[in-house]
Amino acid sequence: MTELIEQAPPTLAEQARAALGKRNLVLIGLMGAGKSAIGRMTAQALGIPFIDSDHEIERVSRMSITDLFAAYGEAEFRALETRVIKRLLRSGPRVVSTGGGAYINENTRKHIRRGGLTVWLKADLDVLWERVNKRDTRPLLKTENPRQTLENLMNARYPIYAEADLTVLSRDVKKETMVEEVLAAITAARPRT
Ligand SMILES: Nc1ncnc2c1ncn2[C@@H]1O[C@H](COP(=O)(O)OP(=O)(O)OP(=O)(O)O)[C@@H](O)[C@H]1O
Ligand SMILES: O=C(O)C1=C[C@@H](O)[C@@H](O)[C@H](O)C1
Ligand SMILES: [Mg+2]
């Protein structure tokens, strides 16, 4: 007698993994959007490696981002960021969380768009501010009115982040919920035109 073997339907993570294929998943968005936190958990769910470009920059330069900005200025930081991200995206699949300004730099954006499927974690000002005002590790926010600076960055950058393949709304829900929404977005992704 033939035995009936019931196969469990693929989980959301398995569906997303299949949809991603050999591509990298690249998280973009402003400071505090959750790129590092959600990126790490998404990689775990997908069973692929995770790398954070800010951490990688700090590792290769043996300096903190704050010290890099202070010693060499933003332009040098951006040049290093471009080189690091280009290298990180050379092999895949992996989840790469980028620094907030990476996708805004034209050269880095070119590498990111070639290097994988992009997800913009989009958050409103209150959510971002609530998260970033607790730490002073972000050199661009060392201004007289950091909340206003963050708002100015939103206005300047959101039209550019909007070019991402996928957008997921980052808000005050459980991180696990955010990960599920990222996985669902990957699963539903249409090929780029
Ligand atoms: N859904 C969430 N709910 C609550 N807290 C969150 C959520 N997502 C992220 N956070 C928290 O917000 C803070 C900022 O998140 P994270 O460092 O991942 O942002 P980021 O986008 O990587 O920022 P940056 O560009 O500065 O590296 C962290 O303390 C993180 O744990
Ligand atoms: O938004 C930005 O331009 C930055 C965000 C951080 O992730 C770091 O990459 C750095 O502080 C610059
Ligand atoms: Mg980060």
Side-chain angles (χ1 to χ4, degrees), residues 120-167:
W120 174 24
L121 292 184
K122 181 182 185 183
D124 71 26
L125 184 60
D126 289 336
V127 168
L128 294 173
W129 178 244
E130 196 49 44
R131 290 180 189 165
V132 299
N133 80 9
K134 293 182 182 123
R135 293 171 67 194
D136 69 343
T137 52
R138 284 134 173 142
L140 289 184
L141 296 182
K142 286 184 179 150
T143 62
E144 277 203 358
N145 186 346
R147 194 179 199 277
Q148 184 61 54
T149 305
L150 193 59
E151 188 171 2
N152 296 345
L153 284 171
M154 277 182 76
N155 292 335
R157 291 178 171 184
Y158 274 24
I160 302 172
Y161 293 141
E163 293 173 15
D165 298 308
L166 308 167
T167 300

Side-chain angles (χ1 to χ4, degrees), residues 2-3 6 22 28 30 50 54 58 78 140 151 193:
T2 4
E3 226 179 285
E6 283 209 21
K22 289 183 183 151
I28 66 168
L30 257 189
F50 168 73
D54 281 340
E58 291 184 329
R78 294 299 171 204
L140 289 184
E151 188 171 2
T193 46

